Amino acid sequence: MSKRIKIAELLQSSKTGTTVNVKGWIRTFRNNQFIALNDGSTNTNIQVVVDFENTDPAELKRYTTGAAIGVEGELVSSQGKGQTVEIIARRIEVYGDCDAEVYPLQPKKHSLEFLREIAHLRFRTNTFAAVFRVRHALAFAIHKFFNDKGFVYIHTPIITASDAEGAGEMFRVTTLDAVKPPMNEAGEVDFSKDFFGRAANLTVSGQLEAELGALALSEVYTFGPTFRAENSNTTRHLAEFWMIEPEVAFADLQDNMDLAEDMLKYVIRYAMDNCREDLEFLSNRQAEEEKSMPQNERSEMSLTQKLEFCLANDFERITYTEAIDILRNSNPNKRKQFKYLIDGWGADLQSEHERFLVEKHFKKPVILTNYPAEIKAFYMRQDDPKEGVPGPTVAAMDILFPGIGEIVGGSQREERLDRLTAKMREMHIPEEEMYWYLDTRRFGTCPHAGYGLGFERLVLFVTGMTNIRDVIAFPRTPGNAEF
Ligand code: 4AD
Ligand code: MG
C-alpha cells in the first residue's frame, strides 16, 4: 500500500488521478455506497465511493459509524454536492469494527451535557475535534510568543510545601495511612513521618518559583497544571487547570499590562490565522445554539467578529477606584438589580460587576488596576498613597474579558524586603519557611512583575464554548474525576 496521507493535507495538495491512502473513522455510510470518512485532521470528511456490486455483502455490513478503516483508491473530482474530490476505493481494510447498536455516538446532534458523560468518545465529534485543535494551536502560539521574545520556559514543581496564593485551598499530597495516620504529642497528624518529611500539596501557582528564575534569567514563563480545591461549581472553575505565568525582571505594572495585552492579541491572531475552518465551524455552532435563546441573551457579534473586535481595540485600563465610581452610579446599582450592591470602596468585585463593566459599560476587554491591598495576595507591590483613593492599594491588575470575567490576574511584585516581611507578618505567613523567596529580596532584588493566564478561560473565549468543562479533555470538578 502507498503511504498514508491525512485528509487535511489531501484536500490541500493532492492531485486528482493519483492513488491515495487514507485512514480514519467512518462517520456515515449511506446507500451502501458512500462512506464519509474523518481522521481528525480537519472537520471536512472525505467521501469514499464503494464498489458495492463487487464487495462481499458481509464486508459491506462492517462499514458502520465509528468503525476504523484504511482506504486505498483513486482521487477523482466529485460530481456530488458538498465536496470537490472523492476517493474511488480499490481496497478497504477494516481495522476495528464498531457495533452501531451499542456505539453511543450516533450520526445526529448530541447535547454537550450528554457528551460530557462520554468524554472518552467526544473527541470524535466535530465540535470537540475543533475545540481541541484550537486548544492545541493556542498552546503552541503561547510558546511561540514567549520564545520569540527570548523568554525561558521553566518547569516549576507540581508538588510543593508552600501556598503561593495564601488562599489555603489546596489538595494534600500524602502517603500516610488515611485511616490511622501517625499522630504527634499535640494530637495532630505527624507529617514529619510523611513521604517528604513535611506536609505537601499540589501547587496552586508556579509564580513564587518563577520569580526566583526571573531574578537571574530576566524573563521566564511557566505553563503547567495547577490545582485548586475550591468548591466552586461554576462554568468558569476547574479543580485542575492549566496556567501560563510569565515573570519579568526590571518591569513595572505598565510593562506587565503591555505584555499581557500583546500576548492575548498575538495568540488570538494566531488562532484566527491558523484555525480558520475550525473557528468558522464554531462560530456557526454558536449562532445555531443561540437561535433558541431570547433575542436579548444572544451575542451581539458572531464569534469571529468578536475575536476581530478584540484585536482591533485597545483594552480599557482603569483603576479599581474608578471602577467603583462607575459601578456605584450605574443603573443596575441604583435600581438595586445587582445581587451585591456597591456602596463603598474596598469590597471585592463580583462577577456581575465585572460583567457590567466589560459587557455593558465599556463593551471591550478591561484591565482593572490598583486594587485595595486587603483583598489581594501578600506579594503584590504596595502603592504610595494617592489623593482621592480612600485606602491602601497594591500594583495589581486583572484582565476582564466579555463572557468570561477574569482571564488574567497579576501584579508588580513587592521587591522591598522590609515592606514584604511586614506584610507577611500581618497575614501570618511564616517567614522562616519562605526564606528562599525572601532571599531574592535580600540578594540583588529588583523591580519585577508577572501574571497568570488561565488557559481554559482563554480557550473558552476563542472557541465560543460556554462551559469550561467543554474545553479541557477530562475536566476535574467537585465530585467528578472520571476518566
Ligand atoms: O488570579 P489567580 O489566582 O493568580 C495567580 O495564581 C497568580 N499567582 C498569577 C501570577 O501572578 N503569576 O489565577 C490566575 C488566573 C485567573 O485569572 C483565571 O484566569 C485562572 O488563573 N484561574 C482559574 N481557571 C480555571 N479554574 C479555576 N479554579 C481558576 N482559578 C484561577
Ligand atoms: Mg485572580
Side-chain angles (χ1 to χ4, degrees):
M1 262 213 196
S2 47
K3 194 169 170 293
R4 178 198 181 195
I5 183 169
K6 293 228 225 133
I7 293 167
E9 196 194 331
L10 176 140
L11 293 173
Q12 291 269 321
S13 63
S14 293
K15 290 188 198 65
T16 50
T18 55
T19 294
V20 293
N21 171 353
V22 294
K23 297 176 199 288
W25 294 266
I26 296 176
R27 282 291 170 83
T28 54
F29 182 40
R30 51 182 187 89
N31 296 351
N32 242 359
Q33 195 176 9
F34 302 110
I35 295 175
L37 192 70
N38 188 283
D39 68 2
S41 60
T42 158
N43 268 349
T44 311
N45 301 326
I46 186 85
Q47 175 154 288
V48 175
V49 184
V50 179
D51 180 5
F52 66 99
E53 281 164 344
N54 295 307
T55 307
D56 177 359
E59 205 53 27
L60 284 177
K61 283 214 175 68
R62 299 178 70 193
Y63 304 163
T64 56
T65 297
I69 63 168
V71 178
E72 191 173 70
E74 190 186 343
L75 189 71
V76 299
S77 13
S78 172
Q79 276 93 51
K81 267 202 299 196
Q83 71 265 337
T84 52
V85 289
E86 61 191 17
I87 299 172
I88 307 294
R90 270 200 296 274
R91 222 177 96 188
I92 297 181
E93 181 179 350
V94 179
Y95 294 109
D97 293 288
C98 184
D99 183 349
E101 293 288 304
V102 290
Y103 186 48
L105 284 176
Q106 296 299 317
K108 62 159 200 173
K109 191 174 176 327
H110 293 292
S111 74
L112 296 174
E113 290 75 18
F114 170 73
L115 292 172
R116 231 169 272 151
E117 285 169 16
I118 53 162
H120 58 303
L121 296 172
R122 67 181 177 169
F123 290 117
R124 300 179 181 205
T125 63
N126 284 337
T127 296
F128 285 94
V131 165
F132 287 108
R133 281 190 299 263
V134 172
R135 184 181 164 114
H136 159 78
L138 289 169
F140 181 79
I142 281 162
H143 285 299
K144 183 160 166 51
F145 174 81
F146 286 117
N147 180 65
D148 290 355
K149 283 190 176 303
F151 280 62
V152 177
Y153 175 31
I154 60 170
H155 299 93
T156 50
I158 307 287
I159 299 175
T160 91
S162 76
D163 172 6
E165 289 303 301
E169 288 164 326
M170 296 184 293
F171 290 101
R172 170 119 312 146
V173 176
T174 178
T175 52
L176 293 180
D177 189 324
V179 182
K180 242 180 146 250
M183 307 297 268
N184 62 20
E185 280 167 13
E188 299 153 342
V189 175
D190 185 1
F191 286 105
S192 71
K193 303 235 165 58
D194 204 348
F195 188 90
F196 297 105
R198 60 199 294 188
N201 307 288
L202 293 178
T203 186
V204 295
S205 157
Q207 178 198 323
L208 302 191
E209 290 91 350
E211 282 188 55
L212 313 180
L215 267 69
L217 299 163
S218 280
E219 296 179 312
V220 302
Y221 72 105
T222 70
F223 188 165
T226 47
F227 307 87
R228 304 221 175 151
E230 19 180 17
N231 205 357
S232 342
N233 242 319
T234 78
T235 54
R236 303 282 175 267
H237 288 86
L238 291 164
E240 176 180 296
F241 66 98
W242 288 68
M243 183 151 58
I244 294 96
E245 296 185 275
E247 197 66 37
V248 180
F250 310 108
D252 63 14
L253 188 64
Q254 291 300 324
D255 301 321
N256 207 28
M257 288 191 274
D258 293 344
L259 180 70
E261 186 167 341
D262 282 354
M263 176 204 65
L264 286 165
K265 287 180 169 165
Y266 177 92
V267 301
I268 292 169
R269 163 64 51 212
Y270 184 92
M272 296 201 67
D273 290 346
N274 291 276
C275 308
R276 187 182 310 230
E277 188 193 57
D278 285 330
L279 290 178
E280 265 163 28
F281 172 85
L282 290 165
S283 193
N284 292 337
R285 193 203 76 88
Q286 185 189 50
E288 202 56 44
E289 283 293 277
E290 290 186 356
K291 273 188 190 155
S292 60
M293 285 161 54
Q295 191 74 40
N296 64 341
E297 284 175 31
R298 293 184 206 167
S299 312
E300 285 171 27
M301 291 181 233
S302 75
L303 176 62
T304 40
Q305 281 169 338
K306 178 190 82 175
L307 298 176
E308 284 291 359
F309 177 82
C310 176
L311 295 178
N313 290 282
D314 288 341
F315 296 1
E316 189 71 35
R317 299 180 181 193
I318 60 162
T319 66
Y320 167 90
T321 307
E322 289 163 341
I324 288 291
D325 274 343
I326 295 172
L327 289 167
R328 202 179 359 219
N329 296 317
S330 69
N331 280 332
N333 201 55
K334 288 193 202 141
R335 294 191 192 131
K336 303 205 185 326
Q337 286 159 343
F338 283 143
K339 191 156 164 241
Y340 298 90
L341 294 178
I342 300 280
D343 47 11
W345 189 93
D348 209 351
L349 298 183
Q350 303 296 322
S351 80
E352 56 179 349
H353 308 129
E354 298 179 343
R355 296 193 73 145
F356 174 82
L357 290 170
V358 173
E359 290 159 29
K360 297 278 182 301
H361 191 81
F362 291 111
K363 296 184 188 288
K364 62 177 175 169
V366 174
I367 312 185
L368 279 187
T369 62
N370 309 94
Y371 281 81
E374 280 272 298
I375 56 172
K376 288 291 182 185
F378 76 94
Y379 50 71
M380 296 191 178
R381 193 176 196 277
Q382 296 158 36
D383 292 325
D384 294 333
K386 207 169 160 222
E387 213 172 310
V389 179
T393 58
V394 286
M397 62 149 196
D398 275 7
I399 303 186
L400 314 177
F401 260 36
I404 305 293
E406 181 191 335
I407 193 163
V408 162
S411 75
Q412 185 171 341
R413 314 309 186 190
E414 182 55 81
E415 85 281 14
R416 298 161 296 187
L417 183 65
D418 53 340
R419 298 279 199 120
L420 184 58
T421 47
K423 180 77 187 196
M424 287 169 75
R425 243 166 265 148
E426 195 186 302
M427 294 180 70
H428 307 289
I429 298 170
E431 277 170 66
E432 320 76 60
E433 273 177 38
M434 299 286 283
Y435 74 91
W436 48 272
Y437 185 66
L438 294 171
D439 266 1
T440 51
R441 274 65 171 175
R442 288 192 186 101
F443 308 125
T445 191
C446 73
H448 62 289
Y451 61 83
L453 163 69
F455 187 54
E456 284 74 19
R457 293 195 185 173
L458 172 69
V459 184
L460 265 184
F461 181 73
V462 175
T463 59
M465 302 297 283
T466 49
N467 191 319
I468 201 162
R469 293 166 181 81
D470 295 332
V471 297
I472 186 165
F474 303 108
R476 270 75 181 101
T477 50
N480 180 37
E482 191 69 27
F483 313 107

